[in-house]
Amino acid sequence: MTERYLILSDGTAYKGQAFGSPATTSGTIVFNTSVTGYQEIITDPIYHNQIIVFTTPTIGAVGVNHESYESILPTAKGVVVREVAEVSTNRQRSLSLDQFLRVHNIPGIAGIDTRQLVRKLRTHNGLNASIVDVADEHAFDQLNAIVLTNQQVSQVATPRPYANPGMGHNIVVMDFGLKSGILRELAVRDANVTVVPYTTTADDILNLDPDGIILSSGPGDPRDLGKDILTTIKTLETRVPLLGIGLGHELFALANGATIQRLPVAHQGMNHPIREIITNQIMYAAQAEEYGVERDSINRDQLLITHIDLIDGSIQGLRHRDYPAFSVQFFPDAAPGPWEATQVFDDFIELTGIRGEQH
């Protein structure tokens, strides 16, 4: 393998071996603790403009297959691993990880001490990084001069509506960086889905006569999306059952007067224990979040906390006291992740069923 370097904005350099695309790349560097599901993670729009460090020692052993895409065109900026597997015996494999990254012009670097790197990232949140051929002064100057956009949602969300037809309840999904796992779970429940741009007005959404509305997951800081989005959500939650997921959860909280804060350490993985307060049940679910709802900002007359993270106590679920609207910070679609969290979609469809019967 060709020698390449991973450099960080704090001045650190790591020597490794290139795989994937030979391009030079820059982005925010994050780590993910998932043991499996690297294809779903790399293709998840939430990793737009990010370089992903995988903590699992070997990545690539099952190749890439057509069933595990979370978006058609991945927009992650790079992949960092301890070891990349060159051989796969998975019968579903259509490409190796190396080939897949080359097709999508995403550089990879192997041979990195990811344990030491993750320790650094846990105490230095929000570092930028580059994968380069030479770790010289010029490379660091270019890295430090880079300005990453805060308009990630507009770059990954759909610009026009499209349908994912079914024979069941009529669901409208507002696309803030929609991952395919959400559509799969709705398809399993035979929902008739219309995906709309996140800028769609409340009137245009209501004209579609939805039985339920989903605010999808997506990348970036929800505070960058503006007040018009929050006004739309505030209107919709009073009219139709609503579910927010990931970024959609944060927007639901903002629309109801809560504030958002950046987490000291981002949650990226599928092994996070979450407690549902009303049942006291514990589930494990996937998370990919850099921001969270500030507990003290919640108006308890409006919102009820439904789920908490057992590692750091962060809020993982909210429900409105007056309307059939709720949200979860974690990813309930099991793509990748444990299947137990998919109950969230059953709860949502049950809410939409009440409205569907009224029709």
Side-chain angles (χ1 to χ4, degrees), residues 9 110 196 207 238 253:
S9 53
V196 299
N207 285 340
T238 67

Side-chain angles (χ1 to χ4, degrees), residues 190-268:
D190 202 27
N192 181 54
V193 177
T194 303
V195 180
V196 299
Y198 71 97
T199 53
T200 306
T201 66
D203 285 343
D204 286 343
I205 290 173
L206 293 172
N207 285 340
L208 295 170
D209 196 27
D211 297 316
I213 295 166
I214 290 180
L215 313 176
S216 85
S217 54
D221 186 339
R223 296 168 294 189
D224 292 331
L225 289 174
K227 294 184 178 179
D228 288 347
I229 300 295
L230 304 184
T231 301
T232 297
I233 294 170
K234 192 69 176 172
T235 300
L236 294 174
E237 71 182 11
T238 67
R239 303 284 297 275
V240 183
L242 182 145
L243 166 63
I245 298 173
L247 182 66
H249 157 83
E250 295 159 11
L251 291 168
F252 173 69
L254 284 172
N256 285 284
T259 58
I260 299 296
Q261 60 186 352
R262 186 160 191 160
L263 298 175
V265 179
H267 297 184
Q268 310 276 3

